[in-house]
């Protein structure tokens, strides 16, 4: 059975959000876009994306906080964190709460493609483990 | 003293009555005797009652009566015993009259002398061989409080409880040997208090040479002694302050300089203060003001072991770069009584000690040989000031860096978003094209968004530039010389440390300029520091930093900052205003670039030229006025 993976994109900047969605779709995935973390949290249970690409600096809730929130809720969704202001501290914090990748804007097409493949594979493994664990 | 012998009518009547009685007795009595001798009594009474003239008249009268009585009783032809008796009587009356007149004259002289004793302000008394007071003048009454009646008859030094300056025996021995003694006594007055007296004793001897009496003349010197004691105490207090105060006191002799100023004044020099502050005059005067005395605090401050090593011309004490002395000279020349300032004094070990000093010029020019200068070592204060300045500079720098950092972060975020969108859209377009079946619709959309975001980035850049332009400096009315003086004050220590002489000149009628005080002061400080540093390696010529402010014909104010360093190579002259260009190991290279942009933001100009040896920076600033925007 083959299903097109769905990638959720959270970014407060409309231009970046649209461009990222176009790139994701050009790579053969389906894309969902959200302007803020809250919008995603409200919609995600129903849409159940396979991977999340989130910006860090956003009003309301940052991408890091969003990722930590998902982890607390026990969600295994793989996350790619993207930021215009990379710092070692931010990098460590993102990885500590389980990010698959920590990328600096602007993100090259090849890097994004590779990161998505890694993330989706990781997501598949986690889901398997969760299913096994649940059985 | 004994009063002049004057009497009322009583003696006159008595004299007249006796004369009449004698006359009648002489004429009428059958007794053959020298009755007329009794006229002597009349003369003696007259001597007491009448003036000299009265006595003479009385005597003549008596002689006439004697002769008349003789003629009545015996007739003109009578000779023999009656005539003899008459002649004896006449002689007796004559002799008595002569003696009476002589006595009267002596008594008058004595009375005159006695009155002189009464008139003198000195207390005079006479004591006999047993020291009993026999005479006591009114001044003694006034001084001691005992009347003559009370004092006469008392033993003098028991009454006065005299304290002698030496053993009494020795004093008396000297008195008897020389006839005189002088010394200072302490005696008591009637109210019990003590007084100090300068005493002069004179010994009177009798005909055989035995001591008869002593005339003691005393002058009250209590107040004089007290004043003297106060002066001594005051001097001692002054000396104590001088020696023990923590404030350095330097006694200087300015009389030679004052003499020179007086000569100039006599020559008709109009602006004496300006002449006094003239460098040539000041340089000469530095050698003519002499340090005469210093206190212990000065020795400590200047790290000297003895006073003598510091005594000498002021020029030895003040470094060549001293700016305070000409001002002090000008103050003296203009008649000021005091002058205060800051200076540096050369300690014995060669270090320069920053001091705050105050000079008090005496009101009497004759006392200019003892001018007192108080000085306070302000090394600690200066160090604290320097530390504070460094701290302020560090803080200002940190604040600038922080502001820059903030600005950079904002700029980066603002520009990075559209750039990210451009790149991502480009990547997307490439991938849409590379698909087995290129989706040209998606490609067109992605490229369109890339272009739009590129434009957005350009707009942001333009906006930031606009924002930077819109931060105008404050415009306030500034007194340029005052601002330069403040800047110079900040660099006081740096100037002294690098042995740089600062010359500030302001042209006449210099108008106020318009600008941001802090920013322009930073520019001035920056240019001065530049000049000082440019001369750091200079040797063989004086290090002079000159700040000259002039009002130009075109209405702008021009400030020239000139140093006597090695100058700047022609090819480097424009580059030094570029950011990040520096010749200093620890420099950031932003100084002159920021200076130029600051001055230009004020509507002025900043440029550089060669100045003999050394460099000159020139700054044009707009004048404060209604017509200037």
């Amino acid at each position: 059975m083959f299903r097109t993976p769905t990638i959720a994109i959270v970014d407060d900047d409309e231009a970046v959000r649209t461009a990222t969605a176009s790139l994701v779709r050009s790579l053969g995935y389906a894309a969902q876009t959200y302007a803020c973390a809250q919008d995603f949290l409200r919609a995600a249970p129903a849409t159940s994306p396979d991977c999340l690409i989130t910006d860090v600096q956003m009003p309301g809730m940052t991408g890091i906080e969003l990722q930590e929130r998902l982890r607390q809720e026990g969600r295994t969704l793989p996350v790619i964190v993207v930021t215009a202001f990379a710092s070692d501290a931010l990098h460590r914090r993102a990885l500590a709460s389980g990010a698959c990748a920590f990328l600096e804007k602007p993100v090259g097409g090849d890097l994004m493609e590779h990161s998505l493949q890694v993330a989706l594979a990781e997501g598949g493994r986690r889901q398997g483990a969760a299913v096994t664990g649940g059985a | 003293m004994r009063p002049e012998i004057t009497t009322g009518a009583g003696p006159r009547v008595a004299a007249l009555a006796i004369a009449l009685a004698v006359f009648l007795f002489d004429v009428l009595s059958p007794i053959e005797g020298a009755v007329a001798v009794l006229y002597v009594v009349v003369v003696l009474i007259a001597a007491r009652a009448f003036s000299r003239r009265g006595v003479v008249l009385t005597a003549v009268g008596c002689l006439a009566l004697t002769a008349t009585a003789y003629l009545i009783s015996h007739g003109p032809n009578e000779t023999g015993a009656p005539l003899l008796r008459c002649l004896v009587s006449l002689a007796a009356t004559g002799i008595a009259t002569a003696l009476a007149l002589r006595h009267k004259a002596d008594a008058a002289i004595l009375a005159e002398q006695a009155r002189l004793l009464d008139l003198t302000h000195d207390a005079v008394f006479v004591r006999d061989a047993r020291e009993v007071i026999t005479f006591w003048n009114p001044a003694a009454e006034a001084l001691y409080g005992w009347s003559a009646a009370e004092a006469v008859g008392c033993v003098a030094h028991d009454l006065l409880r005299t304290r002698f300056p030496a053993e009494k025996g020795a004093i008396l021995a000297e008195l008897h040997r020389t006839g005189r003694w002088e010394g200072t006594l302490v005696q008591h007055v009637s109210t019990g208090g003590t007084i100090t007296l300068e005493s002069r004793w004179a010994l009177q001897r009798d005909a055989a040479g035995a001591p008869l009496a002593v005339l003691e003349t005393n002058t009250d010197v209590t107040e004089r002694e007290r004043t003297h004691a106060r002066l001594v105490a005051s001097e001692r207090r002054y000396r104590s302050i001088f020696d023990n105060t923590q404030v350095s006191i330097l006694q200087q002799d300015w009389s030679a300089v004052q003499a020179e100023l007086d000569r100039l004044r006599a020559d008709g020099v109009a602006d004496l203060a300006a002449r006094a502050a003239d460098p040539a005059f000041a340089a000469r005067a530095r050698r003519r003001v002499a340090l005469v005395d210093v206190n212990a605090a000065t020795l400590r401050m200047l790290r000297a072991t003895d006073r003598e090593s510091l005594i000498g011309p002021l020029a030895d004490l003040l470094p060549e770069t001293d700016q305070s002395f000409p001002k002090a000279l000008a103050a003296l020349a203009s008649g000021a009584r005091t002058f205060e300032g800051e200076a540096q004094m050369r300690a014995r070990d060669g270090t320069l000690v920053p001091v705050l000093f105050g000079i008090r010029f005496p009101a009497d020019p004759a006392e200019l040989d003892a001018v007192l200068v108080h000085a306070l070592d302000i090394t600690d204060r200066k160090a604290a000031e320097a530390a504070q300045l460094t701290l302020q500079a560090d803080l200002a720098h940190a604040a600038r860096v922080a502001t820059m950092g903030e600005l950079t972060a904002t700029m980066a975020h603002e520009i990075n978003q559209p750039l990210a969108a451009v790149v991502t859209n480009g990547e997307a377009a490439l991938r849409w094209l590379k698909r087995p079946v290129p989706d040209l619709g998606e490609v067109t959309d992605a490229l369109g968004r890339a272009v739009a975001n590129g434009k957005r980035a350009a707009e942001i850049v333009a906006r930031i530039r606009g924002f930077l332009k819109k931060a105008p400096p404050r415009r306030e009315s500034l007194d340029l010389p005052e601002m330069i003086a403040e800047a110079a004050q900040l660099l006081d220590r740096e100037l002294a440390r690098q042995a740089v002489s600062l010359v500030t000149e302001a042209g006449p009628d210099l108008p106020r300029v318009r600008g941001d005080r802090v920013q322009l002061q930073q520019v001035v400080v920056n240019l001065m520091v530049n000049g000082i540093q440019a001369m750091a390696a200079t040797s063989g010529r004086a290090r002079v930093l000159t700040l000259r402010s002039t009002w130009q014909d075109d209405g702008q104010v021009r400030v020239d900052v000139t140093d006597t360093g090695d100058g700047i190579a022609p090819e480097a002259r424009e580059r030094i205003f570029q950011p990040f260009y520096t010749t200093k190991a620890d420099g950031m290279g932003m100084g002159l670039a920021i200076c130029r942009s600051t001055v230009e933001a004020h509507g002025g100009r900043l440029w550089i030229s060669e100045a003999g040896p050394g460099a000159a920076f020139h700054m044009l600033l707009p004048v404060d006025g209604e017509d200037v925007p």
Side-chain angles (χ1 to χ4, degrees), chain B residues 152-411:
Chain B
V152 170
C154 294
V155 174
H157 295 300
D158 289 351
L159 177 72
L160 301 173
R161 287 184 277 159
T162 306
R163 281 208 301 271
F164 298 95
E167 214 214 320
K168 199 176 170 190
I171 292 174
L172 290 176
E174 187 187 333
L175 178 68
H176 290 146
R177 196 176 67 247
T178 64
R180 312 189 64 81
W181 178 81
E182 283 186 18
T184 304
L185 303 177
V186 175
Q187 294 177 328
H188 286 72
V189 296
S190 66
T191 53
T194 58
I195 51 176
T196 307
L197 304 125
E198 222 166 64
S199 189
R200 293 173 298 283
W201 297 2
L203 181 66
Q204 189 189 6
R205 296 173 192 273
D206 62 14
L212 195 63
V214 176
L215 180 79
E216 183 169 333
T217 308
N218 290 341
T219 311
D220 183 5
V221 293
T222 310
E223 198 48 46
R224 206 174 75 194
E225 289 281 307
R226 204 172 286 153
T227 307
H228 179 69
R230 273 202 293 268
L231 268 176
V232 168
S234 170
E235 171 71 17
R236 200 177 296 131
R237 269 199 305 279
Y238 163 73
R239 200 66 220 178
S240 166
I241 292 170
F242 185 83
D243 288 337
N244 298 319
T245 179
Q246 294 304 304
V247 174
S248 158
I249 305 176
L250 305 98
Q251 189 180 323
Q252 300 176 351
D253 182 350
W254 286 60
S255 50
V257 167
Q258 179 65 47
E260 207 155 325
L261 287 174
D262 288 344
R263 264 200 301 284
L264 288 176
R265 190 179 286 118
D267 290 348
V269 172
D271 193 348
L272 208 55
R275 171 64 77 86
D278 174 71
F281 184 89
R284 201 164 58 246
R286 275 160 58 95
R287 290 190 293 275
R288 307 203 61 185
V289 171
L291 196 54
V292 181
D293 195 5
V294 296
N295 66 347
T298 308
L299 294 186
R300 283 195 298 277
M301 183 176 85
L302 298 178
R303 298 183 262 286
T305 48
D306 60 317
R307 236 170 45 82
E308 285 65 31
S309 67
L310 291 175
I311 302 305
L314 194 61
D316 292 351
L317 190 67
L318 296 177
E320 287 293 321
T321 52
D322 172 76
Q323 304 281 311
S324 66
F325 180 68
K327 292 179 195 154
L329 269 181
L332 174 66
S334 62
R337 290 272 76 85
T338 59
F339 179 75
E340 287 171 9
E342 278 188 26
Q344 294 196 314
M345 291 185 184
R346 199 189 301 283
R348 284 297 95 184
D349 61 8
T351 56
L352 292 175
V353 180
V355 296
L356 196 65
F357 71 90
I359 305 181
R360 176 145 196 92
F361 296 115
D364 181 359
E367 292 172 19
L368 275 166
D369 59 349
V371 174
L372 289 185
V373 180
H374 294 78
L376 197 64
D377 184 347
I378 51 168
T379 305
D380 293 346
R381 212 185 74 184
K382 283 279 169 189
E385 269 177 18
Q388 199 191 355
L389 278 180
T390 311
L391 191 67
Q392 275 173 0
D394 288 352
L395 276 176
H397 184 243
R400 268 201 307 276
V401 168
T403 309
M404 286 286 274
E406 219 170 278
L407 198 64
T408 312
T410 310
M411 280 162 58

Side-chain angles (χ1 to χ4, degrees), chain B residues 40 46 72 104 131 133 136 179 225 271 386 416 433 471 496 540 548 558 600 606 608:
Chain B
V40 168
I72 290 171
K104 208 172 169 63
E131 297 219 323
I133 297 168
W136 187 260
E225 289 281 307
D271 193 348
N416 217 22
L433 275 174
R548 188 180 294 110
R558 173 169 160 165
E600 284 173 355
L606 178 66
I608 184 178

Side-chain angles (χ1 to χ4, degrees), chain A residues 11-13 15-16 18-23 25-28 55 57 83-85 105-111 113, chain B residues 408-410 412-414 416-425 427-429 431-432 434-435 442 446 449 453 456:
Chain A
D11 199 310
D12 63 322
D13 190 300
V16 175
T18 310
T20 308
S22 178
L23 178 63
R25 284 191 288 107
S26 74
L27 295 171
D55 187 25
Q57 281 79 17
T83 181
F85 303 99
K105 280 185 191 177
V107 184
D110 291 342
L111 182 59
E113 187 174 6
Chain B
T408 312
T410 310
H413 188 76
E414 288 274 313
N416 217 22
Q417 291 295 79
L419 282 183
V422 169
V423 171
T424 308
N425 277 312
E427 295 278 4
R431 276 165 182 74
W432 286 120
K434 280 184 198 160
R435 282 166 80 101
E442 288 283 3
R449 286 193 301 271
N453 278 291
R456 183 179 147 207

